[in-house]
Structures are given as structure tokens and as C-alpha cells.
Amino acid sequence: AQSVTQLGSHVSVSEGALVLLRCNYSSSVPPYLFWYVQYPNQGLQLLLKYTSAATLVKGINGFEAEFKKSETSFHLTKPSAHMSDAAEYFCAVSYNNNDMRFGAGTRLTVKP
Amino acid sequence: GAGVSQSPRYKVAKRGQDVALRCDPISGHVSLFWYQQALGQGPEFLTYFQNEAQLDKSGLPSDRFFAERPEGSVSTLKIQRTQQEDSAVYLCASSLAPRGSGGSPVQYFGPGTRLTVT
């Protein structure tokens, strides 16, 4: 069975500071991994995806994530937070079958 | 281009009423998924369609939940005799490829329907 754990339901950073949102997965086989962002009253928007082509994945809005098999992690980072990054972020895992399992989400707050 | 659309965006129902939620997927997308997102939680899978065939309904919480996609495009999620625990955001997503076809299965999400049962 595959599942996703997001450590920290709420992360708060200052504008310009590093953003680090943690995601660990459990999967018996190499998974596909995704980060989605959800702004208030909107659906989920794909930030980036890992599909085994490269361990460091660059996404939209300056975000990137690194797949670390030894740590079963896929943490999301951004060097410098912007006020517009405030949203809910979801990590998700899938293996070859389009079934997607989501983490509980991390709410990012950016302080001025 | 047009993305996934859902209607209505907000629905308030009295306990016991039936509701119908609509999803218009991206044109040409074979796969269609319904998810339920409770407050403060990630989306939870409800059901999956490949074209008009409902191949997986393992996530439907009770027999009060029913989904259809009769022509392989628009889908409707129906909830009969709504209960307060049905209050959630219902998300629809579509994907180009059939489930299990390999590749990178990106799902594109609609804005959701927020259902409140009073």
C-alpha cells in the first residue's frame, strides 16, 4: 500500500526566507510523486512531479523538490518566500495506475 | 485552454435532501476521478471512470453516493438523503490516459463544489 505523510500541518515563514515543506512516502515500488498547491476556494494546481527522470525536480513559481530514495522523502523547497505563496500544499503519491493518495496538507503562512 | 469545471461551486442542502454535483472534464480526457475533501484534510478518492465505465467505486462511503458518466465526458455525483457528515468539498479531476497505462499520471483538478448539509 502506498501512503504519504506530511510533517507539519502548518508552516510559517517570513517573506524572503527559505520555504521547506516535508513529505515522506511509503511505497513498495518506485512511485510517482507530486506536489499540488491549493489557494482558498480553488482546486488543486500541479506544482511539480517526479517521474524518475531526475531526482531534482523544478516546478512553477520557483519551487523545487528532491526525490531521496534512501530517505523515502520528497520535500518541497523555495529559496525565498513570497506573500503570494501563502496557500495549502499537498504531497501525493501514485504508482502507474493513476490512483493518487494525498497527504493531509501543509498550510503555508508568509509573514511580511 | 479550458480546464476542468464543476458546478455548482457552493451547495447548501438540508439533511435528507438529494444533491447532484456536475463535472466537466478536459475534452478528450479518458480518466475521470471524484474526490472528497473534508475540512483540513487532503482529498480522498471516491470513484474512477474510464470513459463511460465506472471501473472503481471503492471509495464511495455509502450506497447513498452514486456517480455516472453516461457519454464518457460530463460526470455527475449524486448524494441521496444527505447527512451532515457529507459536508465537504467534492473535487473532480481528469487525466488524459487510462488508469494503469503507465507514464506520469497527472490529474487536473476542478475548483470543487463545497457542500454544506444543515
Side-chain angles (χ1 to χ4, degrees):
Chain A
Q2 53 197 27
S3 66
V4 170
T5 302
Q6 291 185 243
L7 299 176
S9 60
H10 189 196
V11 170
S12 180
V13 301
S14 297
E15 191 173 19
L18 171 72
V19 176
L20 170 61
L21 306 182
R22 299 177 186 274
C23 173
N24 288 85
Y25 68 92
S26 64
S27 175
S28 56
V29 293
Y32 295 114
L33 292 158
F34 307 81
W35 275 99
Y36 281 86
V37 61
Q38 187 176 34
Y39 297 100
N41 299 316
Q42 295 186 27
L44 279 68
Q45 178 184 0
L46 181 68
L47 273 178
L48 50 80
K49 63 179 182 180
Y50 166 73
T51 58
S52 77
T55 57
L56 182 62
V57 182
K58 295 187 182 298
I60 62 171
N61 302 339
F63 284 93
E64 62 182 35
E66 186 173 8
F67 173 71
K68 292 186 176 180
K69 185 178 179 181
S70 60
E71 299 178 6
T72 60
S73 69
F74 190 58
H75 301 332
L76 182 71
T77 61
K78 181 174 181 177
S80 178
H82 192 274
M83 297 296 291
S84 61
D85 294 327
E88 189 90 17
Y89 291 81
F90 293 95
C91 182
V93 63
S94 176
Y95 173 65
N96 200 38
N97 63 0
N98 277 359
D99 279 354
M100 200 167 284
R101 297 291 182 261
F102 289 86
T106 298
R107 180 169 299 278
L108 176 66
T109 301
V110 182
K111 298 175 292 185
Chain B
V4 179
S5 61
Q6 293 185 245
S7 61
R9 291 293 313 278
Y10 303 92
K11 177 68 178 179
V12 179
K14 291 186 177 179
R15 189 164 59 94
Q17 284 185 329
D18 298 349
V19 298
L21 313 179
R22 177 188 170 104
C23 171
D24 282 85
I26 294 173
S27 179
H29 277 197
V30 169
S31 294
L32 186 145
F33 304 81
W34 283 98
Y35 293 87
Q36 181 189 61
Q37 185 178 18
L39 187 64
Q41 299 295 317
E44 296 280 347
F45 171 79
L46 291 177
T47 187
Y48 165 72
F49 288 87
Q50 179 177 312
N51 295 311
E52 70 279 4
Q54 188 176 18
L55 299 185
D56 186 349
K57 49 184 180 180
S58 61
L60 296 177
S62 78
D63 58 7
R64 296 185 296 104
F65 286 71
F66 172 76
E68 60 184 6
R69 194 186 184 196
E71 298 179 358
S73 55
V74 171
S75 178
T76 303
L77 176 67
K78 299 179 179 178
I79 308 173
Q80 298 175 326
R81 304 180 303 282
T82 53
Q83 304 294 315
Q84 283 193 320
E85 61 263 28
D86 300 334
S87 295
V89 175
Y90 290 86
L91 294 167
C92 175
S94 70
S95 181
L96 182 62
R99 192 171 69 172
S101 59
S104 55
V106 176
Q107 295 183 21
Y108 298 88
F109 284 80
T113 295
R114 182 178 296 277
L115 172 65
T116 302
V117 181
T118 61

